[in-house]
Amino acid sequence: MSELSVYLDFRTRPGEPPTAADYDDGVRLVQAAERLGFAHVWTTEQHGVDDGYLPAQLPMLAALARETSTIRLGTAVILLPLTHPRRVLEEACVVDVLSHGRLTLGLGAGNYPNEFRIFGADPAGRRQAMDDGVAFIKAGLSGGVLPDGSPVNVPPVQRPVPLVLGGLLRGPADRAAR
């Protein structure tokens, strides 16, 4: 059986930021996809560009969670080395609760040097950041004890939230297989 998905970056017009009306159109598109039986909506992110590319996937998925009821919501992918894994985990858990358990969390290491520069992250350390971050997030998504010893404020509905890892090279493929 085939499943159809919608993949959105919320860019509307080259060189112009999106407006509230553009985001409203994106919400309506996802609602229509849900009515047509699409299985998933996937968002993506990019930072430091002037073309309106979505920079914040989990807030967008939280909005979509409140405007839909059956379509699964997924990140494709959150650039984990650019943020703290607790932030990703906690926001993901809130989206999972808001969506009544429809989140799939996709994580990736990132590839664009400019994104690492603007976030003050070291691209040479992205492999370790991914390994450490994935371990942290997996513990929280399954209800386990977190490596920092503190609890998850809002536990997810799903135990665990489905986790997918993305990448284009051998290292990320090996990480995903592990």
Side-chain angles (χ1 to χ4, degrees):
M1 179 173 133
S2 296
E3 291 185 341
L4 297 175
S5 297
V6 176
Y7 182 83
L8 295 174
D9 60 27
F10 284 87
R11 288 182 290 183
T12 55
R13 292 167 301 281
E16 292 183 33
T19 65
D22 294 326
Y23 277 16
D24 290 343
D25 288 345
V27 170
R28 284 191 290 274
L29 175 75
V30 173
Q31 289 171 323
E34 180 178 66
R35 284 191 305 275
L36 292 169
F38 279 57
H40 296 87
V41 58
W42 296 94
T43 57
T44 183
E45 71 182 63
Q46 199 170 43
H47 305 276
V49 294
D50 66 356
D51 63 358
Y53 210 111
L54 183 67
Q57 296 182 78
L58 290 168
M60 179 58 72
L61 291 180
L64 293 173
R66 302 312 299 165
E67 298 293 333
T68 60
S69 60
T70 59
I71 196 167
R72 287 201 59 84
L73 311 168
T75 60
V77 294
I78 290 177
L79 305 175
L80 189 55
L82 303 183
T83 190
H84 194 283
R86 177 172 277 281
R87 168 77 54 200
V88 173
L89 171 63
E90 290 178 343
E91 291 180 5
C93 288
V94 168
V95 172
D96 196 57
V97 170
L98 286 171
S99 70
H100 299 265
R102 292 184 284 135
L103 179 66
T104 299
L105 184 62
L107 304 172
N111 189 43
Y112 297 114
N114 188 51
E115 291 179 307
F116 284 85
R117 181 189 61 76
I118 62 177
F119 279 94
D122 178 12
R126 70 186 180 157
R127 177 178 294 135
Q128 189 65 51
M130 277 296 292
D131 289 343
D132 294 346
V134 168
F136 188 97
I137 289 169
K138 280 179 72 173
L141 294 179
S142 63
V145 176
L146 293 174
D148 65 9
S150 294
V152 175
N153 296 32
V154 178
V157 171
Q158 302 175 90
R159 297 290 176 96
V161 169
L163 182 64
V164 296
L165 302 178
L168 302 174
L169 303 173
R170 172 73 188 244
D174 289 345
R175 182 182 305 107
R178 286 193 305 276

